[in-house]
Amino acid sequence: MIAIDDKGRCCGCGACAQACPTHCIAMAADREGFAYPVADAARCIGCGKCERVCPIIRADGPSADSPEAFEQPLAVGGRHRDEAVRQASSSGGAFSLLADRIFAMGGVVYGAAMRDGRVAHVCATNGAELAALRGSKYVQSAIGDAYSEIEAHLKAGRPVLFTGAPCQTAGLAAFLGKPWDNLYLVDFICHGTPSPKVFAQYLASIEAREGSKVVSFSFREKDRGWHESGLQMGTRVKLANGKEIRRYPALRDSYMNGFLEDIYLRPACYECRFKVIPKHTADITIADFWGVNRVLPQLNDGRGTSLLLIHNARGKALFDAVSDAFEYEACDWRAATVKNPTLVRAASVPPQRAAFFEDLEARGYDHAARKYLSTPRTVASKASKIIGGKLEKLIQFGVGTAMKVLPVKKTQENRDRLTQFVKFCMVGVSNVAFSYTVNVLTLLLVNLVAPGLKYDYIVANTVAFLLSVYWSFFWNSRKVFHLKARSKAQRRKALLRSYLCYGFTGILLNNLLSTLWIEGLGISKFLAPLLNLVFTIPINYLTNKKWAFAVKDEGEGAD
């Protein structure tokens, strides 16, 4: 019987629920709004089928139900020759191109559609029904009974095209248990699947503010062009009273800000098992061809270009059958995905994720959006990532150079350790500057408010210590030790431990060492603090690494 002890190991595809012969498994939403299987033990017959069809359990290598994948995918960039189809699509119209081929073969197409604010997988049997499946939907789609329906179509000899997130195509492949000649699996380069609960509350917030029901919602529009910056793309909301709301650029939309900052993705997205090449769980991967202006500039007219990664012979045969309707050129898949790093890289857990969901639960979407999803905060975060990326390259260059001359084994583990220590020292240097600045400003403020106060330096030292330790904790938790605790309680525990670590070295150990240098060895008072650093920096590093930042959430081996 399937049991989810670690939510990072469930993608919510629902294959287990559909495969259960006694229907004892139901998909139920948790407090974050993500669906997980809940089994009725009394009705379970112990057949184990639910575990055999779990795509994450099966994700450690190619399985018997998967077609043989190319070691390296064939990459194609292009656009639909029908301009109306391309304009109605998120990028270059590749999905419609493939779907129309399946319809011509007498088949059906499954994909995500939005109805009444809920995104779910549905079946399209013709071009008119396909319109609802076009376009990006940045919220996790409910699979429902789609896998069982698809199996019935396949057994009846009907061709089926299924499109979904990589975990959803993997879920279908695992559910079916064997390859089918009339099944075509198409996934997309996935940023991550956001919470349906957050999206529902976002729509409810709009309706409450506008006093009218949302009848149509678009996550992306191309009427102002198509470019990898995304600034030209924004959301469009249509209300029952006839009003239309455009948020342009997307940075003005709170929900899009949270999605792009990875704040409310499904836990499994942060450790996704399906961002791999070669890929055995899809025939073709489709995506916006971000970076086309560098790789195939002749295909970039600012109205949308698709990227297709063809993973096996079945995918190639499908593309070859539709290629005449597609203006395209082949390219190197690595060059084509430089601006699509989420093909093989999962998102990182944002430090504010747990706090966001706690505030969402306690005070609602509007409060959480003002606090975590504002445009200034998102802009600052993006700027920080750009600067951080440049700094990371500089650090890696320095560490690489040091590894060549240091008498240590040239292993990745040693490189990672040295990188972490260098980052810790950089935070320490910034902390010294921050502490000194706070100390001076506090002295000036105290002398302004209480002139002649005898112990003004003690007040300044105390304020500087309290703020500088928090400064170190803030940067160490994000850039050095990557604190795994997600709950507020555990983060507060880590912060308290940081204060104790720095209190020990900054007050107790510093004074003991200074006494030894000055009173015992006659070393200058001005030189003693520098000698202290030789001992305090490594001790701070080890105590923070092994103790302060070792806390985890309950259920994850918390100490």
Side-chain angles (χ1 to χ4, degrees):
M1 181 176 69
I2 198 159
I4 307 301
D5 298 320
D6 177 3
K7 290 185 176 181
R9 290 184 57 77
C10 176
C11 61
C13 69
C16 55
Q18 294 181 70
C20 178
T22 64
H23 306 290
C24 77
I25 300 174
M27 299 299 290
D30 69 350
R31 62 183 294 271
E32 293 182 349
F34 297 107
Y36 294 91
V38 178
D40 182 352
R43 295 162 57 195
C44 176
I45 60 175
C47 67
K49 193 170 184 180
C50 55
E51 294 179 340
R52 290 197 297 274
V53 302
C54 175
I56 288 186
I57 291 176
R58 299 165 64 93
D60 291 327
S63 54
D65 58 300
S66 304
E68 184 175 349
F70 299 149
E71 282 299 313
Q72 298 186 30
L74 307 177
V76 171
R79 54 204 185 197
H80 205 296
R81 292 188 184 277
D82 186 326
E83 189 58 35
V85 172
R86 183 161 67 126
Q87 187 57 37
S89 305
S90 291
S91 51
F95 168 61
S96 296
L97 183 81
L98 302 175
D100 286 340
R101 173 62 180 172
I102 301 302
F103 293 145
M105 296 164 62
V108 296
V109 176
Y110 277 79
M114 184 185 297
R115 294 174 179 171
D116 298 323
R118 181 177 181 268
V119 177
H121 264 65
V122 300
C123 177
T125 60
N126 55 54
E129 295 175 353
L130 186 71
L133 277 59
R134 288 196 189 105
S136 301
K137 288 96 178 173
Y138 299 128
V139 61
Q140 182 160 31
S141 171
I143 293 294
D145 296 324
Y147 292 171
S148 298
E149 294 173 9
I150 289 169
E151 185 176 41
H153 285 304
L154 295 173
K155 289 180 177 178
R158 200 169 191 183
V160 177
L161 173 69
F162 177 86
T163 180
C167 57
Q168 293 172 329
T169 60
L172 175 56
F175 172 83
L176 295 171
K178 66 175 184 178
W180 290 79
D181 292 337
N182 51 336
L183 173 66
Y184 299 90
L185 297 174
V186 176
D187 67 7
F188 51 83
I189 296 180
C190 182
H191 183 89
T193 54
S195 163
K197 176 180 178 178
V198 175
F199 183 63
Q201 291 199 17
Y202 161 75
L203 292 183
S205 171
I206 294 174
E207 292 176 345
R209 185 169 58 252
E210 299 296 333
S212 183
K213 185 175 178 59
V214 173
V215 296
S216 173
F217 185 91
S218 174
F219 291 90
R220 285 174 49 174
E221 293 289 326
K222 291 198 306 184
D223 55 339
R224 303 192 187 189
W226 177 91
H227 188 269
E228 66 189 50
S229 70
L231 291 177
Q232 83 293 344
M233 292 182 289
T235 56
R236 184 197 298 265
V237 184
K238 294 183 179 179
L239 301 169
N241 61 9
K243 183 177 180 179
E244 181 175 287
I245 303 171
R246 291 292 304 271
R247 292 198 173 96
Y248 165 86
L251 286 171
R252 292 182 56 210
D253 188 282
S254 61
Y255 180 83
M256 291 300 295
N257 285 341
F259 165 61
L260 294 172
E261 289 297 300
D262 308 323
I263 293 175
Y264 33 76
L265 303 184
R266 188 179 183 93
C269 295
Y270 302 112
E271 44 192 286
C272 180
R273 305 291 295 278
F274 307 104
K275 294 181 177 294
V276 294
I277 295 293
K279 179 168 287 192
H280 297 269
T281 55
D283 302 312
I284 297 176
T285 295
I286 57 177
D288 290 277
F289 196 159
W290 302 133
V292 64
N293 55 310
R294 300 176 185 83
V295 183
L296 297 173
Q298 63 273 26
L299 289 177
N300 182 29
D301 62 0
R303 296 199 295 271
T305 307
S306 291
L307 172 66
L308 293 87
L309 302 177
I310 301 169
H311 299 292
N312 55 43
R314 181 183 301 165
K316 186 175 186 304
L318 178 60
F319 177 75
D320 288 345
V322 300
S323 58
D324 287 346
F326 203 57
E327 182 184 355
Y328 72 95
E329 289 191 33
C331 56
D332 177 74
W333 75 272
R334 289 188 180 85
T337 56
V338 168
K339 293 296 182 178
N340 265 312
T342 54
L343 171 68
V344 293
R345 188 176 73 200
S348 299
V349 181
Q352 69 270 36
R353 185 183 189 277
F356 169 83
F357 275 108
E358 289 178 16
D359 283 344
L360 181 73
E361 185 80 12
R363 304 186 64 177
Y365 180 83
D366 288 339
H367 170 80
R370 286 192 298 271
K371 188 173 181 180
Y372 302 99
L373 313 178
S374 67
T375 298
R377 179 168 183 150
T378 302
V379 171
S381 175
K382 290 188 177 297
S384 174
K385 288 179 180 179
I386 293 172
I387 296 171
K390 301 294 185 183
L391 188 58
E392 181 69 26
K393 290 182 179 179
L394 183 62
I395 292 171
Q396 291 303 325
F397 174 77
V399 168
T401 303
M403 287 291 291
K404 294 177 182 178
V405 298
L406 289 174
V408 295
K409 290 184 178 180
K410 309 303 189 277
T411 64
Q412 186 61 44
E413 183 179 9
N414 284 337
R415 184 187 179 99
D416 291 343
R417 286 174 177 170
L418 181 58
T419 299
Q420 187 180 62
F421 184 69
V422 168
K423 290 181 178 180
F424 181 81
C425 292
M426 292 176 68
V427 171
V429 170
S430 74
N431 188 45
V432 170
F434 180 79
S435 178
Y436 180 77
T437 301
V438 170
N439 197 306
V440 171
L441 292 176
T442 304
L443 280 174
L444 294 173
L445 182 61
V446 169
N447 280 289
L448 183 65
V449 175
L453 182 66
K454 184 175 181 181
Y455 298 108
D456 57 349
Y457 63 93
I458 294 179
V459 174
N461 287 342
T462 302
V463 172
F465 173 77
L466 293 173
L467 294 181
S468 63
V469 171
Y470 187 81
W471 170 275
S472 292
F473 174 80
F474 179 88
W475 292 110
N476 282 330
S477 66
R478 288 160 173 78
K479 303 299 182 183
V480 182
F481 300 113
H482 304 292
L483 181 61
K484 294 188 181 346
R486 298 173 187 173
S487 69
K488 284 184 177 178
Q490 292 300 88
R491 292 185 69 81
R492 284 194 293 267
K493 184 176 181 180
L495 176 59
L496 176 60
R497 289 185 176 188
S498 289
Y499 274 106
L500 292 175
C501 289
Y502 283 105
F504 168 71
T505 56
I507 299 174
L508 180 61
L509 187 58
N510 252 329
N511 286 333
L512 287 175
L513 288 173
S514 293
T515 301
L516 173 64
W517 307 140
I518 298 167
E519 302 296 336
L521 301 178
I523 294 174
S524 165
K525 294 179 181 180
F526 299 100
L527 182 59
L530 297 178
L531 292 176
N532 290 349
L533 293 176
V534 176
F535 296 89
T536 58
I537 289 177
I539 291 174
N540 271 333
Y541 173 71
L542 291 173
T543 54
N544 274 277
K545 178 183 176 69
K546 300 296 185 181
W547 187 56
F549 289 93
V551 298
K552 297 180 181 179
D553 290 312
E554 297 300 327
E556 296 184 12
D559 55 6

PDB file of all heavy atoms in Angstrom, residues 460-479:
ATOM      1  N   ALA A 460      26.403  50.517  21.694  1.00  0.00           N
ATOM      2  CA  ALA A 460      26.769  50.370  20.285  1.00  0.00           C
ATOM      3  C   ALA A 460      27.254  48.956  19.982  1.00  0.00           C
ATOM      4  O   ALA A 460      26.889  48.363  18.956  1.00  0.00           O
ATOM      5  CB  ALA A 460      27.834  51.394  19.908  1.00  0.00           C
ATOM      6  N   ASN A 461      28.072  48.414  20.884  1.00  0.00           N
ATOM      7  CA  ASN A 461      28.580  47.056  20.688  1.00  0.00           C
ATOM      8  C   ASN A 461      27.444  46.035  20.695  1.00  0.00           C
ATOM      9  O   ASN A 461      27.425  45.095  19.899  1.00  0.00           O
ATOM     10  CB  ASN A 461      29.593  46.696  21.778  1.00  0.00           C
ATOM     11  CG  ASN A 461      30.920  47.406  21.584  1.00  0.00           C
ATOM     12  OD1 ASN A 461      31.214  47.903  20.498  1.00  0.00           O
ATOM     13  ND2 ASN A 461      31.729  47.476  22.630  1.00  0.00           N
ATOM     14  N   THR A 462      26.489  46.226  21.603  1.00  0.00           N
ATOM     15  CA  THR A 462      25.368  45.287  21.721  1.00  0.00           C
ATOM     16  C   THR A 462      24.498  45.320  20.469  1.00  0.00           C
ATOM     17  O   THR A 462      24.137  44.279  19.912  1.00  0.00           O
ATOM     18  CB  THR A 462      24.520  45.611  22.961  1.00  0.00           C
ATOM     19  OG1 THR A 462      25.360  45.561  24.118  1.00  0.00           O
ATOM     20  CG2 THR A 462      23.374  44.629  23.111  1.00  0.00           C
ATOM     21  N   VAL A 463      24.149  46.530  20.026  1.00  0.00           N
ATOM     22  CA  VAL A 463      23.323  46.659  18.826  1.00  0.00           C
ATOM     23  C   VAL A 463      24.052  46.089  17.612  1.00  0.00           C
ATOM     24  O   VAL A 463      23.458  45.366  16.790  1.00  0.00           O
ATOM     25  CB  VAL A 463      22.948  48.130  18.584  1.00  0.00           C
ATOM     26  CG1 VAL A 463      22.261  48.304  17.227  1.00  0.00           C
ATOM     27  CG2 VAL A 463      22.047  48.638  19.697  1.00  0.00           C
ATOM     28  N   ALA A 464      25.324  46.389  17.499  1.00  0.00           N
ATOM     29  CA  ALA A 464      26.111  45.891  16.375  1.00  0.00           C
ATOM     30  C   ALA A 464      26.182  44.367  16.395  1.00  0.00           C
ATOM     31  O   ALA A 464      26.070  43.715  15.343  1.00  0.00           O
ATOM     32  CB  ALA A 464      27.512  46.493  16.399  1.00  0.00           C
ATOM     33  N   PHE A 465      26.341  43.784  17.573  1.00  0.00           N
ATOM     34  CA  PHE A 465      26.407  42.323  17.689  1.00  0.00           C
ATOM     35  C   PHE A 465      25.085  41.689  17.266  1.00  0.00           C
ATOM     36  O   PHE A 465      25.050  40.752  16.461  1.00  0.00           O
ATOM     37  CB  PHE A 465      26.747  41.919  19.127  1.00  0.00           C
ATOM     38  CG  PHE A 465      26.658  40.434  19.365  1.00  0.00           C
ATOM     39  CD1 PHE A 465      27.664  39.583  18.926  1.00  0.00           C
ATOM     40  CD2 PHE A 465      25.559  39.887  20.017  1.00  0.00           C
ATOM     41  CE1 PHE A 465      27.566  38.210  19.129  1.00  0.00           C
ATOM     42  CE2 PHE A 465      25.459  38.522  20.228  1.00  0.00           C
ATOM     43  CZ  PHE A 465      26.468  37.679  19.775  1.00  0.00           C
ATOM     44  N   LEU A 466      23.973  42.199  17.775  1.00  0.00           N
ATOM     45  CA  LEU A 466      22.665  41.615  17.485  1.00  0.00           C
ATOM     46  C   LEU A 466      22.351  41.687  15.989  1.00  0.00           C
ATOM     47  O   LEU A 466      21.891  40.708  15.383  1.00  0.00           O
ATOM     48  CB  LEU A 466      21.574  42.324  18.288  1.00  0.00           C
ATOM     49  CG  LEU A 466      21.628  42.119  19.808  1.00  0.00           C
ATOM     50  CD1 LEU A 466      20.601  43.009  20.498  1.00  0.00           C
ATOM     51  CD2 LEU A 466      21.376  40.654  20.159  1.00  0.00           C
ATOM     52  N   LEU A 467      22.588  42.842  15.390  1.00  0.00           N
ATOM     53  CA  LEU A 467      22.258  43.007  13.975  1.00  0.00           C
ATOM     54  C   LEU A 467      23.247  42.293  13.058  1.00  0.00           C
ATOM     55  O   LEU A 467      22.866  41.733  12.029  1.00  0.00           O
ATOM     56  CB  LEU A 467      22.191  44.492  13.614  1.00  0.00           C
ATOM     57  CG  LEU A 467      21.057  45.285  14.272  1.00  0.00           C
ATOM     58  CD1 LEU A 467      21.081  46.737  13.808  1.00  0.00           C
ATOM     59  CD2 LEU A 467      19.701  44.667  13.959  1.00  0.00           C
ATOM     60  N   SER A 468      24.512  42.277  13.427  1.00  0.00           N
ATOM     61  CA  SER A 468      25.514  41.657  12.554  1.00  0.00           C
ATOM     62  C   SER A 468      25.383  40.133  12.543  1.00  0.00           C
ATOM     63  O   SER A 468      25.624  39.494  11.509  1.00  0.00           O
ATOM     64  CB  SER A 468      26.929  42.060  12.972  1.00  0.00           C
ATOM     65  OG  SER A 468      27.232  41.593  14.274  1.00  0.00           O
ATOM     66  N   VAL A 469      24.988  39.535  13.667  1.00  0.00           N
ATOM     67  CA  VAL A 469      24.776  38.090  13.675  1.00  0.00           C
ATOM     68  C   VAL A 469      23.590  37.738  12.777  1.00  0.00           C
ATOM     69  O   VAL A 469      23.624  36.760  12.028  1.00  0.00           O
ATOM     70  CB  VAL A 469      24.560  37.563  15.107  1.00  0.00           C
ATOM     71  CG1 VAL A 469      24.130  36.094  15.078  1.00  0.00           C
ATOM     72  CG2 VAL A 469      25.834  37.704  15.922  1.00  0.00           C
ATOM     73  N   TYR A 470      22.542  38.558  12.841  1.00  0.00           N
ATOM     74  CA  TYR A 470      21.400  38.300  11.964  1.00  0.00           C
ATOM     75  C   TYR A 470      21.810  38.476  10.497  1.00  0.00           C
ATOM     76  O   TYR A 470      21.359  37.728   9.632  1.00  0.00           O
ATOM     77  CB  TYR A 470      20.230  39.229  12.294  1.00  0.00           C
ATOM     78  CG  TYR A 470      18.988  38.868  11.514  1.00  0.00           C
ATOM     79  CD1 TYR A 470      18.161  37.831  11.937  1.00  0.00           C
ATOM     80  CD2 TYR A 470      18.671  39.518  10.319  1.00  0.00           C
ATOM     81  CE1 TYR A 470      17.042  37.460  11.204  1.00  0.00           C
ATOM     82  CE2 TYR A 470      17.561  39.154   9.576  1.00  0.00           C
ATOM     83  CZ  TYR A 470      16.746  38.131  10.024  1.00  0.00           C
ATOM     84  OH  TYR A 470      15.652  37.765   9.294  1.00  0.00           O
ATOM     85  N   TRP A 471      22.631  39.473  10.248  1.00  0.00           N
ATOM     86  CA  TRP A 471      23.160  39.687   8.899  1.00  0.00           C
ATOM     87  C   TRP A 471      23.891  38.430   8.424  1.00  0.00           C
ATOM     88  O   TRP A 471      23.650  37.948   7.312  1.00  0.00           O
ATOM     89  CB  TRP A 471      24.103  40.883   8.902  1.00  0.00           C
ATOM     90  CG  TRP A 471      24.902  41.095   7.649  1.00  0.00           C
ATOM     91  CD1 TRP A 471      26.089  40.512   7.327  1.00  0.00           C
ATOM     92  CD2 TRP A 471      24.583  41.963   6.549  1.00  0.00           C
ATOM     93  NE1 TRP A 471      26.546  40.946   6.113  1.00  0.00           N
ATOM     94  CE2 TRP A 471      25.635  41.850   5.602  1.00  0.00           C
ATOM     95  CE3 TRP A 471      23.538  42.829   6.269  1.00  0.00           C
ATOM     96  CZ2 TRP A 471      25.650  42.556   4.415  1.00  0.00           C
ATOM     97  CZ3 TRP A 471      23.551  43.537   5.074  1.00  0.00           C
ATOM     98  CH2 TRP A 471      24.591  43.401   4.170  1.00  0.00           C
ATOM     99  N   SER A 472      24.750  37.871   9.245  1.00  0.00           N
ATOM    100  CA  SER A 472      25.487  36.659   8.883  1.00  0.00           C
ATOM    101  C   SER A 472      24.541  35.485   8.675  1.00  0.00           C
ATOM    102  O   SER A 472      24.689  34.708   7.724  1.00  0.00           O
ATOM    103  CB  SER A 472      26.502  36.305   9.981  1.00  0.00           C
ATOM    104  OG  SER A 472      27.533  37.255  10.033  1.00  0.00           O
ATOM    105  N   PHE A 473      23.565  35.353   9.575  1.00  0.00           N
ATOM    106  CA  PHE A 473      22.600  34.261   9.449  1.00  0.00           C
ATOM    107  C   PHE A 473      21.828  34.356   8.132  1.00  0.00           C
ATOM    108  O   PHE A 473      21.623  33.341   7.453  1.00  0.00           O
ATOM    109  CB  PHE A 473      21.626  34.291  10.628  1.00  0.00           C
ATOM    110  CG  PHE A 473      20.508  33.287  10.514  1.00  0.00           C
ATOM    111  CD1 PHE A 473      20.717  31.962  10.847  1.00  0.00           C
ATOM    112  CD2 PHE A 473      19.248  33.662  10.051  1.00  0.00           C
ATOM    113  CE1 PHE A 473      19.700  31.017  10.722  1.00  0.00           C
ATOM    114  CE2 PHE A 473      18.225  32.743   9.918  1.00  0.00           C
ATOM    115  CZ  PHE A 473      18.452  31.413  10.253  1.00  0.00           C
ATOM    116  N   PHE A 474      21.415  35.561   7.808  1.00  0.00           N
ATOM    117  CA  PHE A 474      20.636  35.761   6.582  1.00  0.00           C
ATOM    118  C   PHE A 474      21.403  35.262   5.373  1.00  0.00           C
ATOM    119  O   PHE A 474      20.878  34.498   4.546  1.00  0.00           O
ATOM    120  CB  PHE A 474      20.300  37.243   6.421  1.00  0.00           C
ATOM    121  CG  PHE A 474      19.516  37.570   5.173  1.00  0.00           C
ATOM    122  CD1 PHE A 474      18.135  37.526   5.173  1.00  0.00           C
ATOM    123  CD2 PHE A 474      20.166  37.910   3.986  1.00  0.00           C
ATOM    124  CE1 PHE A 474      17.405  37.817   4.020  1.00  0.00           C
ATOM    125  CE2 PHE A 474      19.450  38.202   2.833  1.00  0.00           C
ATOM    126  CZ  PHE A 474      18.066  38.157   2.854  1.00  0.00           C
ATOM    127  N   TRP A 475      22.655  35.667   5.220  1.00  0.00           N
ATOM    128  CA  TRP A 475      23.430  35.296   4.043  1.00  0.00           C
ATOM    129  C   TRP A 475      23.950  33.864   4.114  1.00  0.00           C
ATOM    130  O   TRP A 475      23.990  33.157   3.105  1.00  0.00           O
ATOM    131  CB  TRP A 475      24.587  36.272   3.841  1.00  0.00           C
ATOM    132  CG  TRP A 475      24.114  37.639   3.463  1.00  0.00           C
ATOM    133  CD1 TRP A 475      24.154  38.777   4.204  1.00  0.00           C
ATOM    134  CD2 TRP A 475      23.465  37.994   2.226  1.00  0.00           C
ATOM    135  NE1 TRP A 475      23.587  39.828   3.531  1.00  0.00           N
ATOM    136  CE2 TRP A 475      23.158  39.384   2.306  1.00  0.00           C
ATOM    137  CE3 TRP A 475      23.121  37.304   1.077  1.00  0.00           C
ATOM    138  CZ2 TRP A 475      22.524  40.052   1.270  1.00  0.00           C
ATOM    139  CZ3 TRP A 475      22.484  37.971   0.046  1.00  0.00           C
ATOM    140  CH2 TRP A 475      22.202  39.335   0.151  1.00  0.00           C
ATOM    141  N   ASN A 476      24.355  33.415   5.300  1.00  0.00           N
ATOM    142  CA  ASN A 476      24.825  32.028   5.427  1.00  0.00           C
ATOM    143  C   ASN A 476      23.723  31.023   5.125  1.00  0.00           C
ATOM    144  O   ASN A 476      23.959  29.983   4.503  1.00  0.00           O
ATOM    145  CB  ASN A 476      25.370  31.770   6.836  1.00  0.00           C
ATOM    146  CG  ASN A 476      26.759  32.335   7.021  1.00  0.00           C
ATOM    147  OD1 ASN A 476      27.544  32.419   6.077  1.00  0.00           O
ATOM    148  ND2 ASN A 476      27.089  32.737   8.238  1.00  0.00           N
ATOM    149  N   SER A 477      22.499  31.338   5.566  1.00  0.00           N
ATOM    150  CA  SER A 477      21.395  30.401   5.352  1.00  0.00           C
ATOM    151  C   SER A 477      21.030  30.292   3.877  1.00  0.00           C
ATOM    152  O   SER A 477      20.543  29.255   3.430  1.00  0.00           O
ATOM    153  CB  SER A 477      20.170  30.826   6.166  1.00  0.00           C
ATOM    154  OG  SER A 477      19.654  32.065   5.702  1.00  0.00           O
ATOM    155  N   ARG A 478      21.268  31.339   3.109  1.00  0.00           N
ATOM    156  CA  ARG A 478      20.890  31.344   1.703  1.00  0.00           C
ATOM    157  C   ARG A 478      22.030  30.982   0.759  1.00  0.00           C
ATOM    158  O   ARG A 478      21.802  30.301  -0.245  1.00  0.00           O
ATOM    159  CB  ARG A 478      20.344  32.733   1.315  1.00  0.00           C
ATOM    160  CG  ARG A 478      18.966  33.001   1.897  1.00  0.00           C
ATOM    161  CD  ARG A 478      18.669  34.498   1.935  1.00  0.00           C
ATOM    162  NE  ARG A 478      17.291  34.751   2.339  1.00  0.00           N
ATOM    163  CZ  ARG A 478      16.861  34.684   3.593  1.00  0.00           C
ATOM    164  NH1 ARG A 478      17.703  34.349   4.562  1.00  0.00           N
ATOM    165  NH2 ARG A 478      15.601  34.929   3.883  1.00  0.00           N
ATOM    166  N   LYS A 479      23.224  31.434   1.063  1.00  0.00           N
ATOM    167  CA  LYS A 479      24.311  31.318   0.102  1.00  0.00           C
ATOM    168  C   LYS A 479      25.416  30.344   0.502  1.00  0.00           C
ATOM    169  O   LYS A 479      26.201  29.925  -0.351  1.00  0.00           O
ATOM    170  CB  LYS A 479      24.946  32.696  -0.133  1.00  0.00           C
ATOM    171  CG  LYS A 479      23.960  33.764  -0.610  1.00  0.00           C
ATOM    172  CD  LYS A 479      23.314  33.388  -1.934  1.00  0.00           C
ATOM    173  CE  LYS A 479      22.376  34.482  -2.428  1.00  0.00           C
ATOM    174  NZ  LYS A 479      21.697  34.077  -3.683  1.00  0.00           N
TER     175      LYS A 479
END
